[in-house]
Amino acid sequence: MRKIKKVVIPVAGFGTRFLPATKSTPKEMLPIIDKPIIHYIVEEAVKAGIETVIFITGRHKRAIEDYFDYYPELENQLLKNRKEDLVEMIRGISNMAEFVYVRQKEQLGLGHAVLTAKHVVGDEPFVVMLGDELIINQDKPAIGQLIETYYKFGKSIVGTTSVPKEDVSKYGIVGGKEIMESIRLVTSMIEKPKVEEAPSSSAIIGRYVLTPSIFQELENTPIGKGGELQLTDAMVNLLRKEAIYSKDIEGIRHDTGNKLGYLKAILDFALLQSDIRDDLKEMLFEKCEKFKEMDEKHF
Ligand code: UTP
């Protein structure tokens, strides 16, 4: 079976939920304390053995290219100040993988963004990771769990998690038969269904292993919900020709594409950092006490 070496990370979206910040800063570059979100995504891919990172970019995404490039002027300045450790740290970012950038000329949806990578991916299986889903698992990176499942079955694998019933309309939902613990043979898929249409509450969460046959399906899939070419619709067509499996991902998931999810991710990451954890805990306790007092006065 061919080794999976390439990841496609679509980052060309407008990030409208974070306007006005995303008018000039890509949403993937918003920081979780001192590292941008996209850093964690690339780190997860590299930990799982990925060697080539293909970003699908658009206008206003130069900051991502600069972040993963060398910065000799800054390095020289840091060296003058004897900050070798910082030089090593910023160089390490550029050396994590080989980076390739492909422009998506029009923002026609996630499926269209993936199709834009066709000529760089070629005829091999690859992974897709969304730039706004952080999944924390220190031992087994989320995408590594899917790659492992791919090596068992040799077919496309979607990463899933169970969501509350009332939330199914925010996700691509898969129905299927459980064949092993946490793995299902997919029998149906639907993008953002109404509650009554959803085949289950198993939601696709921004991690995929795809066989290259997906490109042909993307080329033949009409524009779907929201006037976008939907990756889920192309996978529904692929399902008629090839098996697709779903795997429940183990890990703590943060949807950083919405404001509350982003804030929660920052807090969780901060509580893992030994230099700020204790002060932050104290600050949070104080705030909670204040809220309690305010509530008591109010009622
Ligand atoms: P989202 O649906 O989250 O869209 O796309 P968005 O534009 O980033 O954010 P909102 O909803 O307007 O706030 C999921 C992923 O697919 C990428 C986005 O960059 C994001 O990482 N994407 C989406 C593209 O690369 N191209 C597209 O045409 C659409």
Side-chain angles (χ1 to χ4, degrees), residues 12 22 24 36 44 62 74 124-125 128 133-134 167 191 199 222 263:
T22 43
S24 62
E44 178 190 325
R62 266 282 304 278
L74 173 61
E124 51 185 283
V128 173
E133 288 272 2
L134 284 180
D167 284 349
E191 183 62 29
L263 264 179

Side-chain angles (χ1 to χ4, degrees), residues 8-44:
V8 174
I9 308 183
V11 293
F14 291 118
T16 50
R17 284 169 291 173
F18 272 94
L19 280 170
T22 43
K23 189 176 171 208
S24 62
T25 305
K27 120 177 139 176
E28 300 77 10
M29 285 301 291
L30 294 175
I32 303 286
I33 328 259
D34 51 6
K35 279 189 203 165
I37 295 167
I38 195 70
H39 184 118
Y40 292 100
I41 307 278
V42 170
E43 227 169 34
E44 178 190 325

